Amino acid sequence: MLFGTSPSGAHTEPWIFVVVQDPETKEAIRNIVEEEEELNYQKRMSRQWVADLKPFATKPVKPYLSDAPALVLVFRQTHSWRKYGKKKMHYYSDISTAIAAGLLLAAIQYCGLVALTSTPLNCNARLRDLLSRPVNERLELLLPVGRPHEEATVPDLQRKPLNEIMIKV
């Protein structure tokens, strides 16, 4: 469990990985995401944002959410509770959770599987409620995980050259 060894602020380990394989729950997640995405595309996202997504052919319909063998929902704990009910702060919870999610993605790839990184805008509360997660947890990432679909295509993206992302001093 490589991602369970990720560093975190004051060793609070502020992440929770919820793995969903139940078909009915995956379908419920898909319905919530698609409803919110429809509103995102129609009202919430700027025209420029929608235009920037065109090369990726994204749209509010997300069949992969019910087709994937597993969904991994990455929640970040803003805080937790000590044994005697006192609030325990989680320092650097956002970056700590991001590092753990990165290690999870590396492990998924290492195993020969694929994942689609998805950040379902405005779905946090509804998905947290569906999965009976406490209010101190915030959905950060939704990962459909499995083998690539036989008809899957990957856009031919140009990456920045190394000299634009690494500076030697």
Side-chain angles (χ1 to χ4, degrees), residues 3 15-20 29 33 64-65 70-77 94 96-106 108 115-124 127-128 131 133 137-145:
F3 53 90
W15 50 79
I16 297 291
F17 298 93
V18 177
V19 179
V20 178
I29 290 170
V33 170
Y64 52 83
L65 293 176
L71 301 178
V72 179
L73 290 89
V74 180
F75 286 89
R76 172 178 56 92
Q77 295 176 329
D94 50 354
S96 297
T97 302
I99 293 168
L103 288 173
L104 172 61
L105 286 165
I108 289 168
L116 172 65
T117 55
S118 171
T119 52
L121 189 62
N122 296 304
C123 292
N124 178 56
L127 292 178
R128 189 182 62 222
L131 298 169
R133 303 307 311 155
E137 293 181 7
R138 173 160 178 70
L139 179 65
E140 295 294 329
L141 198 56
L142 170 56
L143 302 170
V145 178

Side-chain angles (χ1 to χ4, degrees), residues 61-88:
V61 179
K62 312 289 184 192
Y64 52 83
L65 293 176
S66 53
D67 293 347
L71 301 178
V72 179
L73 290 89
V74 180
F75 286 89
R76 172 178 56 92
Q77 295 176 329
T78 56
H79 62 277
S80 60
W81 304 103
R82 297 182 187 276
K83 290 180 184 176
Y84 303 104
K86 189 175 179 184
K87 192 179 203 181
K88 178 180 181 180

Side-chain angles (χ1 to χ4, degrees), residues 33-95:
V33 170
E34 287 181 346
E35 286 173 22
E36 294 295 337
E37 283 288 272
E38 188 67 41
L39 290 171
N40 292 336
Y41 277 80
Q42 289 178 0
K43 300 178 181 182
R44 296 175 181 147
M45 294 170 18
S46 69
R47 286 184 182 161
Q48 184 61 55
W49 190 349
V50 174
D52 288 344
L53 290 174
K54 281 206 186 279
F56 308 106
T58 62
K59 50 189 160 219
V61 179
K62 312 289 184 192
Y64 52 83
L65 293 176
S66 53
D67 293 347
L71 301 178
V72 179
L73 290 89
V74 180
F75 286 89
R76 172 178 56 92
Q77 295 176 329
T78 56
H79 62 277
S80 60
W81 304 103
R82 297 182 187 276
K83 290 180 184 176
Y84 303 104
K86 189 175 179 184
K87 192 179 203 181
K88 178 180 181 180
M89 293 308 302
H90 288 191
Y91 308 101
Y92 303 105
S93 65
D94 50 354
I95 192 67

